[in-house]
Amino acid sequence: MANAHSGKMIVGLDIGTSKVVALVGEVGEDGTLEIVGIGTHPSRGLKKGVVVNIESTVQSIQRAVEEAQLMAGCRIHSAFVGVAGNHIRSLNSHGIVAIRDREVSVADLERVLDAAQAVAIPADQRVLHTLPQDYVIDNQEGVREPLGMSGVRLEAKVHVVTCAVNAAQNIEKCVRRCGLEIDDIILEQLASAYSVLTDDEKELGVCLVDIGGGTTDIAIFTEGAIRHTAVIPIAGDQVTNDIAMALRTPTQYAEEIKIRYACALAKLAGAGETIKVPSVGDRPPRELSRQALAEVVEPRYDELFTLIQAELRRSGYEDLVPAGIVLTGGTAKMEGAVELAEEIFHMPVRLGVPHSVRGLSDVVRNPIYSTGVGLLTYGLLKQSEDMVLTGNSNSNSNSYGDEPKAPVLERFKRWVQGNF
Ligand SMILES: Nc1ncnc2c1ncn2[C@@H]1O[C@H](COP(=O)(O)OP(=O)(O)OP(=O)(O)O)[C@@H](O)[C@H]1O
Ligand SMILES: [Mg+2]
């Protein structure tokens, strides 16, 4: 949250493996969001989505936040923060309660979601999200908006996401050290889903894949609700590494070469095009064909897409995602990535960028900002729910610390609003 503007401010902080992004959004009179500030800084303190160096992470966050503050012309006090990494676990669960006054009330919903998340969770994990899928009232299945319905027995089906206590605490520590409060911590692919998927895709069935620098984050939606989440610890950093090894060139050059010249599908790269590769030590630069570079890159993308496909199969939702695959995150920007993915998945594949954002849209319509923009969208929904529920526009009340009791109701409201 921030001040000095007429409208309400929401801040999203995406602490990625490659970069930290702070986005400031201003909520207009009509309830829409306009992005008024952005700050990004290379990230040095993370490996595969988790904080491994607090000091470097704090510095990156500070720089990104300062830049965003300058641009937005306001001070940032708190933020919605993303979390990722292969410590994330998820499962589908359900809970059952008796409906107290034969009509489903907000209190019944809170109780049923509490019951649904009361699953055995390892001591080193904590609940991050309890996302309602649908409800059963007596024998009526597939109820999406149970509030006010009559019955005696209420069952909730939910997707529970947990994360390592330590990983979350380290993120919290870094953000607090920058003098910021945490409004909420959100699973990164859930945030990305908010900014890149359409309601139609979620309704029909879709698999979102956010391929960043350190991790590939997956989220599967069917019938409007989230059904499965997973993290694969392979992403863009591996591609860069492969190039550095194969071309015997320092990592920073490999990164540059990758972004400027690489291609995920060797047959799309012109054999005649050549590039200059700086060598290690004092040796002179060498020439290389783009085709040869693509032959280094394609197997890694191939491996990654094959792993994603295996995860999709394991989830049991492979035949339930007719809207196909939506790729986002920086690594999805590679030329030929969508084409190669279509060959492997035999499904429609598209590149997802943040949609329906106002302000700085030229900047943020980029797959690397999907999580950041999604954090703002999530924040906007959450704050409007808090207002509805408490009649209070100050939503700073639910910081990450008092989970899990407060968010349950909000998640229900979000579901009612047709989001998840
Ligand atoms: N045009 C491009 N072509 C190919 N790769 C790209 C391109 N632009 C950026 N990348 C790669 O995308 C990755 C960064 O993506 P992104 O910003 O989504 O990651 P992140 O959010 O910081 O990391 P993570 O989500 O894994 O923690 C880097 O590996 C970078 O090399
Ligand atoms: Mg990311």
Side-chain angles (χ1 to χ4, degrees):
M1 208 190 312
N3 56 17
H5 274 251
S6 52
K8 198 160 178 53
M9 297 297 206
I10 296 174
V11 178
L13 187 61
D14 173 16
I15 309 169
T17 309
S18 307
K19 48 90 194 45
V20 174
V21 184
L23 285 168
V24 183
E26 182 170 9
V27 185
E29 300 263 294
D30 55 353
T32 60
L33 198 68
E34 181 174 351
I35 295 171
V36 294
I38 180 169
T40 81
H41 198 264
S43 174
R44 307 242 180 268
L46 278 87
K47 277 225 159 64
K48 296 198 183 293
V50 296
V51 176
V52 293
N53 183 328
I54 294 202
E55 214 41 61
S56 323
T57 307
V58 166
Q59 278 178 16
S60 302
I61 298 173
Q62 242 153 5
R63 296 281 174 77
V65 165
E66 276 162 17
E67 201 178 304
Q69 285 186 150
L70 268 179
M71 190 164 185
C74 65
R75 274 199 66 74
I76 294 174
H77 303 295
S78 68
F80 289 89
V81 184
V83 65
N86 78 5
H87 56 94
I88 305 281
R89 304 275 175 274
S90 68
L91 66 139
N92 289 323
S93 168
H94 70 128
I96 302 171
V97 295
I99 300 168
R100 282 218 173 117
D101 295 320
R102 297 197 137 251
E103 185 180 302
V104 178
S105 66
V106 167
D108 293 322
L109 287 169
E110 279 187 313
R111 282 191 302 120
V112 80
L113 294 181
D114 274 343
Q117 74 168 26
V119 280
I121 292 162
D124 58 350
Q125 293 264 313
R126 52 167 296 158
V127 174
L128 195 60
H129 298 288
T130 305
L131 303 158
Q133 295 167 332
D134 55 60
Y135 297 85
V136 185
I137 297 178
D138 297 343
N139 290 319
Q140 181 63 54
E141 298 230 5
V143 176
R144 291 198 181 182
E145 298 186 13
L147 200 59
M149 300 246 318
S150 296
V152 292
R153 176 184 178 278
L154 176 66
E155 176 176 353
K157 296 181 183 169
V158 301
H159 186 67
V160 180
V161 181
T162 67
C163 71
V165 175
N166 290 343
Q169 278 174 347
N170 285 334
I171 291 179
E172 222 175 359
K173 221 176 270 177
C174 293
V175 176
R176 295 240 157 90
R177 284 227 185 135
C178 297
L180 303 181
E181 285 302 312
I182 294 170
D183 291 317
D184 208 348
I185 294 201
I186 299 106
L187 180 69
E188 286 176 12
Q189 61 265 50
L190 182 64
S192 302
Y194 272 104
S195 71
V196 306
L197 296 182
T198 66
D199 289 344
D200 286 348
E201 284 173 331
K202 283 184 274 187
E203 202 54 52
L204 203 58
V206 69
C207 176
L208 175 85
V209 182
D210 184 331
I211 320 176
T215 62
T216 293
D217 307 330
I218 301 173
I220 299 173
F221 294 80
T222 69
E223 292 171 39
I226 189 160
R227 306 288 166 175
H228 183 81
T229 43
V231 178
I232 295 174
I234 294 180
D237 288 350
Q238 260 81 10
V239 181
T240 305
N241 253 342
D242 291 347
I243 295 175
M245 299 294 272
L247 273 50
R248 294 170 209 262
T249 193
T251 312
Q252 80 262 30
Y253 294 131
E255 175 73 17
E256 238 180 271
I257 290 169
K258 176 179 88 170
I259 290 176
R260 288 180 65 176
Y261 306 109
C263 177
L265 197 55
K267 66 183 180 215
L268 292 183
E273 298 170 70
T274 56
I275 57 169
K276 269 209 166 59
V277 183
S279 298
V280 278
D282 295 335
R283 295 188 203 96
R286 292 153 295 145
E287 296 243 313
L288 181 84
S289 75
R290 258 196 94 206
Q291 175 95 47
L293 175 63
E295 278 162 12
V296 173
V297 170
E298 184 176 319
R300 185 59 87 173
Y301 272 81
D302 194 308
E303 180 201 22
L304 179 56
F305 291 144
T306 307
L307 286 171
I308 297 163
Q309 188 180 43
E311 182 60 41
L312 187 54
R313 287 206 173 129
R314 200 168 29 240
S315 75
Y317 288 99
E318 194 187 15
D319 297 328
L320 299 171
V321 289
I325 311 281
V326 177
L327 299 179
T328 195
T331 299
K333 289 171 72 178
M334 174 79 70
E335 185 190 341
V338 167
E339 291 80 355
L340 177 67
E342 276 177 337
E343 282 186 10
I344 291 174
F345 289 102
H346 301 291
M347 280 185 195
V349 179
R350 75 171 178 95
L351 182 66
V353 299
H355 57 63
S356 52
V357 279
R358 293 189 305 122
L360 304 175
S361 57
D362 291 349
V363 182
V364 298
R365 246 180 231 139
N366 181 331
I368 70 171
Y369 297 129
S370 297
T371 303
V373 174
L375 289 169
L376 288 182
T377 314
Y378 177 96
L380 178 70
L381 278 167
K382 188 165 185 293
Q383 298 208 337
S384 48
E385 285 149 14
D386 284 356
M387 255 193 295
V388 171
L389 294 173
T390 62
N392 177 355
S393 63
N394 178 7
S395 74
N396 210 7
S397 53
N398 172 39
S399 78
Y400 177 57
D402 33 337
E403 192 272 348
K405 54 190 185 303
V408 167
L409 188 53
E410 285 130 29
R411 275 157 202 154
F412 161 67
K413 295 294 284 189
R414 202 171 310 130
W415 169 242
V416 167
Q417 287 168 0
N419 284 285
F420 293 111

